[in-house]
Amino acid sequence: MLFREFSPFHLIYLLPLLIVFGYTFPECVVCGDPSIVAPCLVPMDMASHDNLLLILHFWLLIYIGLSVLILAIAEIPLGLKISVFDNKRWVSSNGDFAIGFFNTTSQPYQYSVGIRFNSDSIPESGRTVVWVAGGDLAVGNMSYFQITEGGEFIIFDSTIGVVAWSSKTSQQSVSSAVLQDDGNFVLLNQGKEIVWQSFDSPSDTLLPGQRLPMFRPLRAARVDSLSSYYSLYMNASGVLQLRWESNVTYWTGGNPSSDQSNRSVVLTTDGSLQILETGSDQPVMALFGDDHNDTVKFRLLRLDVDGNLRMYSWDQIMVTWRPVWQAVENQCNVFATCGGQGICSLNASGSVHCLCPYNFQPSSKSRCLVPYQEGCRWGSVMLKYENTFLHGMYPPNDSDITSSLQSCKDSCAKNPACTAATFTNDGSGQCFTETTRYLTGYTDNSIAAVSFVKKCSDPTAVDPNLPRPSPKTEAASSVEESSYKICIPCVVGASTVTFISFLLIQLGAVIFIYKRRKSIWMKTISVLKNGNSKGLAVFTLAEINEITGDFKHRIGPKMYKGMLSNRQAVAVKDLGSVVENRKSRAAILKIGNIHHRNLVKLEGYCCESSQRYLIYEYAKNGSVAAYIEDPELAKRLTWRKRMDVCVSVARAVCYLHTECREFMGHGNLKSTNVVLDEYFEAKVSEYGLTGLRAESAESASSALSAAEKDVEDFGTLVMELVSGCRDVGMLLVSFYEQWRDGMAGDLVCKGIEEVDPGELERAIRIAFWCLQVDERLKPSMGEVVKVLEGTLSVDPPPPPFPGHHRPLTGVEDGSSSSSDSE
């Protein structure tokens, strides 16, 4: 059946018949009296016949064109595809929505597949995108999407010859597809039942009638590294949250559910955002737009790139999308509104203004970094900012203590790792300290807070505290200078040597500039010629040799330091000979689509002949393994830093397991694959490489096994960081027995001070839960993160090794961590 319900387009099929009838029987058509049909049956003259033929020919052309449109909006059979060059779309039966390729980035030849408004009442500039296949997936200009004969909705990147995204419905008897009138793209089986639908995997927008279930986030569009961290999320208690990553919640909606029942969020057609219990149409919370209950044809709810959640209505008079509600009224209260540009304030018109108050160098205006790093040669000073509240961004963790204003300032000044502090003078006496150079915040006369930012003291010519040479030293210097005599041969020889050296330097500079320009030119040509859809640079083997200096600087197993033409340091991983070219490119494409601040960024790759290389961002401070092995370097891994590393790695692996578009296991998580960047922040490297060596895609069972292996490897990594011992595999049994006997403190690496007993207990407990032999007892990485953050209590683990069943002592009868009593 071509149509499922009557549509105005059905009239198109009747038009030719009506025209013929009207011209053959004009009286009958006018009067409409059945009794005079017979008298109307009179032959036409030749002129009328010619006119009829012309009109029929005209309407036949319209009929054919509209018939093609009808085929475009009817149910889509298997096998149909649309390429970028086709510039065509599949349209809903009412014409309001269309699915096709579009380019919303500033990069050329970057196309995404998505659904957007298509109504004639909305001009082209207002036809906003409401869904994107694969989240932020973009492919090259030789690509197409298709409903395959096997029933999968796929996006094929012809530039590199791989399926970049799939609905994974090949085994679900899909027979056709339909873009419904509400904007939902669905795959149907023979019984016209929905097998897959775009409404189940929203990107940044909800349409009326579309539900957002628990644990399924909306993510802001990735226009930069800042916007990619924002999400709308409903937690396990049924509370709606706007979050920065998973650490900072800056807006909540609704109250916690008492019975832990499932909830969902829905945008209604009358302009309200509601939280509904499963199986109930009665909302437990409703938020209304300004035009609630007004007659509005088009509405949407979108998590914008500035981190604010807004409801929009299409204003037909103003011809624009009008915001009728937003979650956070004051945009400065959205976490990291100014990002790397400084501190947020509102100007007279109420618009956001970003200012970097401690930006002392004009060259650093693009980034607003705290003007302090550890090891100031001339000491440091504390800059004071009234009516300002500061938060750390990378990481977004504020250390909170109760103190006085002076104590808050002094504690930061004396702590070499502290970069800033905020004291709330509203009577609570809270002191928030930061250990990162990346800060965000809000300044306003109404804010009852004072912030201090640490700055290295730069020496100046008028600084009275700088050491000056004594008179005796100056006199001795003048006597020494006066004792020198002029040596003519020495002057001539020195001049000759200087002149020759100058010529050689000039010649070397010319050769260097020529080679560098040639290298940059060749690099530009290579990237333009081989650049792929993910923005990854594609290198040749010759360029890899040039970048690494013929692999002179080895920094790890098959890992080499390199330098790009723009002087950017990179790490080059030699994968050797792996699977065929097409499979390796597909796996690299998957890795290149992953972005997280605790994952090392993939910059490019080389797939030439049988050789495979990955080019990563370079971590200045090397691997965590080096700091564990070297007694001197180990001193820099304080207890606080070791716990930060544990949390950072857990978040990164949790992101790979649960927050990527597709599951990705690390497969080789260990301290050599955890590196420290220039700010001493931990990042996980070499993730996803198991996919490059796998002969086929991961099945559900293999994905589960990969997750369990990552959890186990993480438990081992935690014990390495706690104990300061590499290769702890043979020591884990004795470690468990020591902890069981109440001697957890003896496990800590010697020389580590200021150990938090609660953190130590949580770390050891979760590590041994991760090391359980029975996979059913292993926690998920999401649970691991919550335990390490202290938001989830953890019971004493059973013996993780076969044959060790001695009853627990010391930890069961009162020595549990503070987190258990939360």
Side-chain angles (χ1 to χ4, degrees), residues 747-769:
L747 298 178
V748 180
C749 178
K750 299 297 186 267
I752 300 298
E753 300 177 352
E754 300 181 1
V755 177
D756 186 307
E759 286 183 329
L760 173 62
E761 185 68 18
R762 285 199 302 271
I764 293 178
R765 287 190 182 192
I766 197 61
F768 284 125
W769 276 113

Side-chain angles (χ1 to χ4, degrees), residues 614-642:
L614 296 182
I615 295 85
Y616 293 102
E617 65 173 310
Y618 179 69
K620 180 179 178 180
N621 285 303
S623 71
V624 169
Y627 285 79
I628 295 177
E629 292 173 339
D630 191 315
E632 289 301 317
L633 291 177
K635 295 177 182 178
R636 295 192 64 187
L637 278 183
T638 62
W639 176 256
R640 176 76 272 125
K641 178 51 62 179
R642 290 171 191 252

